[in-house]
DNA sequence: CAGCCGTTGTACATCGATGTAAAAACTCCG
DNA sequence: CGGAGTTTTTACATCGATGTACAACGGCTG
């Protein structure tokens, strides 16, 4: 009982294979009679399209590869959820890869995993450099998220990270905080999110006439709660007394808050904490977390939009337009971790 | 400049197409000479396998479809992350779908999305019934996660949910709690996770000679923190005074704890809270969350194991063995939300 | 009713990689 | 050096769906 093929359906309905194909693909000029006859044959046999055959013939897979560092970091999970939903709306299916911070995996992703699996690629890079993005013959259309690798190498969607960090810092400064630390530097990576956000932080300080010291950037191993907690522990054990923390994602912030709690420091009274990403955990934590909320829906929507355009261009063998840069909105959600007792956003 | 094909590589290397194919697939009997010659040609042309062609010929796609309710619920994100990693170890790629609780989507998944995309399917069902799983001619090999739909319809991996709930309840009872509520019932679903866990809860009560009342099961819309908070709010506003909450996942528990906090109730002194899943949020929350921790690595590993066996059977046209049932380990991690001040697990 | 046109339906080649079967090349030994 | 036995390579058919090009059909006009 092998699966039925178009051939079987055709025989059963008494038409040609192409006619069956036409019915399946809603081709206009099929009479109502034959259309129903074919539909019936399909139902009776339980026929389902073989996508391998279709892909081979059409030259498109209908698959988008999404590459994120780790899916179990809530921000990426949120993003993936939205992208999958958005892709579906574009009749695309999403295949997810994790780089687990591995540079080789990111490069492999860029190359299309040594194959041409996907029609397009959405990539949230951590370690890639500008040069990695040049000259990728045969690589699929690509949209980068988040980090501004270097302008002009590929389509890119992100919030204005520098401005966001500046606003967050201004917020802390307005609360009178002067000993602010930034949590989330990475070792040995190219200028990435951390550096851009650091620059925003610095700009805010300098605009306020305050000095800036590169040492305020605390390094972390990863972007999980544990890393935030460890960073704060090291800081406090070194005898420092911060009164504000700008954490480069919410997980770091939540870990930091837990560590502060354990050491008897109150948030926000002793230390005000700001995060990035607006994940669910920060909305229900005690205290709830002030955060820079990117418009994630927009990120997903715009990413798909850019990608679908590129894919269409490629199909049409149109000359590729220059890389497109898209900035999506963000806003600072002020919650208890900086505002004192307040309501949940 | 179209992408090179095997034909082009063959011409360049001065060998047949099949020889190129043999080199690509590490076929044993290729001399070192030709092997290197072919490799060079591949590099020079930048050749990469066209998977559509390969899939068509091989009859396998190398893709596993993972279907979860929502990827932005941390437990499912954790699981997806592990499954993707595990799949990679089996040279498989994972395509993720979300049902968003939609029964039709779950059914579509069962049918292989109207196509035969994936070699196999890993499905975490919410609304499926036993009958849905019968008679799925042509459907791909399937492994179910979590909910015991009804034994004997498909391969299945889960913890012993009833025992887990019993243990968690016993833990609450040992703390002297007597007014325990279970948070996480769903409307109108088949006997699923909630019912199985409820049964465990009931068993623990009855073993202790305590009465059980179906009304202890609080309904929720979804499994997010917000739903836990709302459930607790309704409960308290109805004038009830619970001293223990058994939440059917950590998100519900975290939301519940936040609501308790807002209403001036202390955890664990006034209300002890237990969750399920052991997600990161519960390890760093204040207080940290006691939870039933399933061995998620094992879930992922066993799921892939079962699936790969089924796929191999199918390829070999072996008669399908009867459905396999696999139980993975869990343990109760006691943290501050029930234990009083303690250390973080 | 011939002639034309638009609509339906068909035969066949094709997308790219690989399994099959068999030919070619090479080894080794008497 | 001939021939059996083994290793390496090849030609060709095939996986399933669909685009191309064209044939068949039906209806309408003059």
């Amino acid at each position: 009982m092998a699966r039925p093929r178009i051939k079987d359906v055709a025989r059963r309905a008494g038409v040609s294979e192409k006619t069956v194909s036409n019915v399946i693909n809603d081709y206009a000029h099929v009479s109502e009679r034959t259309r129903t006859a074919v539909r019936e044959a399909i139902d009776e046999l339980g026929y389902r399209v073989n996508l391998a055959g279709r892909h081979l013939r059409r030259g498109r897979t209908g698959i988008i590869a999404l590459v994120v560092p780790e899916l179990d970091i809530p921000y990426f999970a949120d993003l993936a959820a939205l992208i999958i939903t958005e892709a579906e709306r574009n009749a695309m299916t999403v295949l997810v890869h994790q780089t687990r911070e591995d540079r080789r995996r990111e490069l492999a992703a860029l190359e299309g995993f040594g194959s041409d699996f996907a029609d397009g690629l959405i990539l949230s890079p951590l370690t890639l450099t500008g040069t990695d993005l040049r000259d990728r013959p045969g690589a699929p259309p690509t949209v980068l998220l988040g980090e501004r690798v270097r302008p002009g190498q590929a389509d890119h969607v992100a919030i204005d990270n520098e401005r966001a960090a500046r606003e967050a810092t201004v917020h802390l400064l307005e609360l009178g905080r002067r000993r602010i630390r930034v949590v989330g530097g990475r070792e040995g990576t190219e200028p990435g999110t951390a550096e851009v956000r650091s620059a925003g932080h610095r700009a805010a300080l300098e605009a306020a006439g305050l000095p800036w010291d590169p040492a305020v950037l605390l390094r972390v191993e990863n972007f999980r709660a544990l890393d935030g907690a460890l960073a704060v522990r090291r800081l406090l054990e070194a005898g420092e007394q911060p009164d504000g923390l700008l954490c480069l994602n919410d997980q770091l912030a939540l870990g930091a808050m837990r560590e502060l709690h354990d050491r008897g420091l109150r948030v926000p009274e002793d230390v005000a904490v700001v995060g990035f990403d607006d994940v669910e955990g920060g909305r229900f934590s005690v205290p709830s977390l002030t955060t820079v909320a990117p418009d994630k829906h927009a990120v997903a929507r715009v990413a798909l939009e850019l990608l679908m355009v590129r894919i269409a261009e490629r199909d049409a063998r149109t000359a590729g337009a220059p890389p497109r840069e898209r900035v999506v909105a963000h806003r600072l959600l002020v919650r208890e971790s900086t505002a004192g007792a307040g309501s949940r956003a």
Side-chain angles (χ1 to χ4, degrees), chain A:
Chain A
M1 281 282 291
R3 284 184 53 155
R5 303 300 168 195
I6 270 200
K7 190 199 309 190
D8 307 309
V9 177
R11 192 171 318 128
R12 174 133 194 166
V15 298
S16 76
E17 300 179 28
K18 187 66 216 302
T19 299
V20 175
S21 167
N22 285 340
V23 171
I24 293 168
N25 294 287
D26 278 325
Y27 177 68
H29 301 296
V30 181
S31 69
E32 207 47 54
R33 278 175 59 87
T34 41
R35 190 182 298 275
T36 33
V38 170
R39 290 252 169 77
E40 272 168 23
I42 287 176
D43 288 345
E44 287 164 13
L45 296 174
Y47 169 79
R48 280 179 279 141
V49 175
N50 176 317
L51 288 185
R54 170 178 285 177
H55 291 167
L56 175 58
R57 179 66 233 212
R58 288 201 181 153
R60 272 188 51 179
T61 58
I63 294 180
I64 290 171
L66 171 66
V67 184
V68 295
E70 322 203 39
L71 204 52
D72 48 358
I73 290 180
Y75 175 66
F76 294 116
D78 288 356
L79 210 52
L82 291 167
I83 285 175
I84 289 171
T85 301
E86 197 62 37
E88 213 168 83
R89 200 165 285 151
N90 287 277
M92 291 272 151
T93 304
V94 177
L95 192 152
V96 183
H97 281 267
Q98 299 179 98
T99 58
R100 298 240 178 243
E101 313 261 326
D102 184 341
R103 187 177 147 71
R104 281 168 317 170
R105 282 164 180 277
E106 293 199 342
L107 286 173
L110 270 187
E111 298 292 334
F113 309 99
S115 67
D116 62 351
F117 212 105
D119 293 338
L121 190 61
I122 298 180
L123 179 59
S124 185
L126 276 180
T127 68
L128 296 176
T129 69
T131 25
D132 292 331
L133 289 168
R134 259 185 281 271
D135 297 331
R136 307 184 297 132
T142 303
V143 174
L144 295 173
L145 300 185
E147 174 175 330
R148 179 170 50 185
V149 172
R150 198 164 300 180
Q153 300 296 347
D155 288 354
H156 178 235
V157 186
I159 63 170
D160 184 337
N161 272 301
E162 181 176 334
R163 185 158 70 80
R166 208 163 57 222
E167 290 163 0
T169 304
V170 166
H171 175 58
L172 288 170
L173 292 174
E174 284 174 355
L175 295 170
R177 308 304 160 126
R178 287 297 177 272
R179 298 185 309 281
I180 303 171
R181 294 291 177 278
V182 179
V183 182
R186 305 300 302 271
E187 284 300 340
T189 53
E190 277 284 300
T193 310
E195 283 68 20
V196 175
R197 291 183 182 169
S198 266
H201 173 68
R202 177 179 187 171
L205 290 179
E206 293 179 344
L210 295 168
W212 176 81
D213 175 357
V216 299
L217 181 61
L218 307 182
R219 306 275 163 187
V220 292
E221 278 280 310
N222 201 326
F223 273 93
R224 297 173 183 277
L226 177 64
D227 304 288
L230 291 176
V232 167
R233 182 176 308 171
R234 281 194 304 270
L235 185 71
L236 297 180
E237 283 177 354
E240 300 223 32
Q241 281 277 354
D243 60 6
L245 293 179
L246 178 60
C247 301
L248 297 193
N249 83 359
D250 283 357
Q251 301 315 113
L252 292 172
L254 292 168
M257 290 204 301
R258 173 73 216 201
E259 184 70 22
L260 292 169
H261 170 87
D262 287 353
R263 301 196 164 243
L265 291 167
R266 292 164 304 159
V267 176
E269 294 82 353
D270 301 320
V271 185
V273 178
V274 181
F276 269 80
D277 295 347
D278 185 27
V279 301
E280 187 187 44
R283 292 197 281 275
F284 289 85
S285 59
V286 178
S288 59
L289 178 64
T290 293
T291 191
V292 173
D295 184 343
K296 292 178 227 175
H297 284 87
V299 172
R301 191 160 23 78
V302 172
L304 259 291
E305 200 175 298
L306 291 175
L307 197 55
M308 295 312 287
V309 168
R310 288 285 174 198
I311 292 172
E313 282 177 357
R314 174 149 156 161
D315 284 1
R317 296 167 185 283
T318 308
R324 298 182 243 266
E325 192 75 24
R326 295 287 213 87
V327 175
V328 304
H330 70 266
R331 57 208 182 99
L332 183 69
L333 298 179
V334 177
R335 300 203 189 103
E336 295 163 357
S337 71
T338 61
S343 69
R344 195 177 324 154

